[in-house]
Amino acid sequence: MSSPSSQLATLRRMSIYEPFHQISMWGDTFHGDASPNTGSSTIVQVDTRLDNQTEYLSHNSVEPSRSDQEANKPSEKTQRRLAQNREAARKSRLRKKAYVQQLESSRLKLAQLEQELDRARRQGIYTGSTSDGSHFGLSGNINPGITAFEMEYSHWVEEQNRQIYELRNALQKHITDIELRILVENGLNHYNNLFRMKADAAKADVLSLISGMWRTSTERFFQWIGGFRPSELLNILMPQLEPLTEQQLIDVCNLRQSSQQAEDALQQGIDKLQQSLVQIITEDQSSSEIYQSQMVAAAEKLEALESFVNQADHLRQQTMQQMYRVLTTRQAARALLALGEYFHRLRALSSLWAAQHLESA
């Protein structure tokens, strides 16, 4: 895989690099007065922060200072609440461990599936599952990277549904902010896992990833460069977060404007890439040698799609992190719940649509 510098050099040769200098301004536009401890252009890695904060919260909650211990012994109610917090943190770590083990189990199942497909292919009974062969190379083999991603994504959706259920119950029971913060950071970490999975899949076959066949038909209808538009996400969440303070409203509006500017820059790059591909494909093809060289050049240009997907996911991740800094813990929990339910309803709509047309057929 080429380095980021060589990718940018490729984009310059393709005349689609110009918009990317605008994207470097995201950090400045995102950076505002949302939080005094917000970095200018870095993303807080929730994977690390989750573990650190979980340990920090449980440790500091359980370990008051010596002077406090001597002056005031915690009441029975306080001790019971602290024990509940420790238990919530312990369960969170167990869920994370179980999720990792589930992914490892999926990889073993994938290896078994590949063996079965290879055996069926040798017997001449495997014809493929897609009409355009999007998962197949010239030899007709399934791209194992995309197959692994699709399996991981199905488990990701199952875990997201479980988290939605847990968040809904937590908000109804009015649990403490400490316990709720753990659930919120678990949710953010879950989306970061998706972005990591997509980056690996983009390296394997970015065209299969960007076509969105791993999503339902309704989700693909709203898809933009391999995922959702951050600005549209903010439009969906805003009504669920009211009432917002005046400062929160200003911060969210600034975030939405910055997201739209970055989306426009990425879209300009995609449009230029499409134009350059059309120009190459429609050039003179008077000989087989020229035709072959043109197809090779077009394929090389398509490699730039990986950069676009990674940039788009970076924007999505940045938007979610900035929203987390702007909102209170309970608002962030409501935002994650609303986002999860939105994608759940899109998938339900796809199932309903497919069932109706299956009956009519």
Side-chain angles (χ1 to χ4, degrees), residues 42-305:
T42 59
I43 303 173
V44 175
Q45 296 298 329
V46 179
D47 299 71
T48 303
R49 194 175 70 180
L50 170 62
D51 292 333
N52 292 342
Q53 285 199 7
T54 300
E55 295 299 334
Y56 174 82
L57 291 171
S58 61
H59 178 76
N60 284 326
S61 298
V62 183
E63 300 286 346
S65 65
R66 292 183 179 178
S67 59
D68 289 342
Q69 286 179 335
E70 296 171 357
N72 223 348
K73 186 177 181 179
S75 66
E76 182 179 349
K77 181 179 179 180
T78 301
Q79 291 177 343
R80 185 167 59 253
R81 179 57 56 83
L82 293 176
Q84 291 174 349
N85 292 343
R86 289 195 299 272
E87 180 65 14
R90 186 185 68 84
K91 289 181 178 179
S92 173
R93 291 191 293 270
L94 288 176
R95 284 194 298 269
K96 182 177 181 180
K97 181 178 179 181
Y99 181 64
V100 172
Q101 290 175 343
Q102 187 180 40
L103 291 180
E104 292 297 329
S105 175
S106 298
R107 290 188 177 94
L108 293 176
K109 292 179 180 178
L110 171 62
Q112 182 181 2
L113 176 62
E114 289 178 341
Q115 291 177 357
E116 293 175 356
L117 290 175
D118 186 61
R119 183 168 55 253
R121 210 165 23 240
R122 288 196 301 268
Q123 295 173 354
I125 61 174
Y126 183 73
T127 59
S129 59
T130 56
S131 59
D132 63 351
S134 58
H135 293 183
F136 301 92
L138 295 178
S139 61
N141 293 325
I142 295 178
N143 188 316
I146 295 299
T147 305
F149 169 72
E150 290 177 343
M151 294 183 67
E152 283 186 319
Y153 181 69
S154 66
H155 291 305
W156 187 92
V157 171
E158 292 175 1
E159 173 63 15
Q160 185 192 42
N161 290 335
R162 189 198 63 77
Q163 289 187 359
I164 292 173
Y165 176 80
E166 192 172 21
L167 266 178
R168 187 185 298 110
N169 286 342
L171 288 171
Q172 291 174 351
K173 293 179 180 178
H174 302 289
I175 65 175
T176 66
D177 282 354
I178 293 178
E179 295 170 302
L180 195 58
R181 182 182 295 274
I182 293 173
L183 296 180
V184 169
E185 294 191 348
N186 280 342
L188 290 173
N189 187 56
H190 191 54
Y191 279 97
N192 285 340
N193 285 337
L194 176 60
F195 298 139
R196 174 192 56 77
M197 289 157 47
K198 289 174 64 181
D200 292 339
K203 293 178 182 178
D205 186 351
V206 68
L207 276 179
S208 293
L209 176 69
I210 207 169
S211 68
M213 297 306 295
W214 45 281
R215 291 186 181 272
T216 61
S217 55
T218 310
E219 288 177 293
R220 290 198 300 273
F221 179 69
F222 292 97
Q223 184 159 288
W224 173 78
I225 315 184
F228 56 84
R229 281 182 178 269
S231 59
E232 290 181 359
L233 165 66
L234 295 175
N235 291 334
I236 293 168
L237 296 184
M238 282 287 287
Q240 309 298 325
L241 303 178
E242 296 174 350
L244 294 170
T245 67
E246 182 178 352
Q247 184 59 50
Q248 283 179 321
L249 189 59
I250 292 173
D251 292 336
V252 172
C253 290
N254 289 337
L255 179 58
R256 179 166 49 193
Q257 182 180 3
S258 299
S259 296
Q260 289 174 338
Q261 292 173 351
E263 289 169 18
D264 291 342
L266 276 173
Q267 191 60 53
Q268 290 175 19
I270 287 285
D271 292 342
K272 285 193 173 184
L273 174 61
Q274 290 177 336
Q275 292 171 7
S276 64
L277 284 172
V278 169
Q279 185 176 4
I280 290 176
I281 293 173
T282 56
E283 284 178 354
D284 177 43
Q285 300 176 357
S286 56
S287 67
S288 59
E289 290 80 6
I290 295 178
Y291 172 80
Q292 185 175 1
S293 63
Q294 287 172 340
M295 292 302 101
V296 170
E300 289 176 351
K301 283 187 175 291
L302 279 177
E303 292 178 359
L305 281 176

Side-chain angles (χ1 to χ4, degrees), residues 31 77 288 323 339:
H31 183 273
K77 181 179 179 180
S288 59
M323 279 292 291
L339 181 60

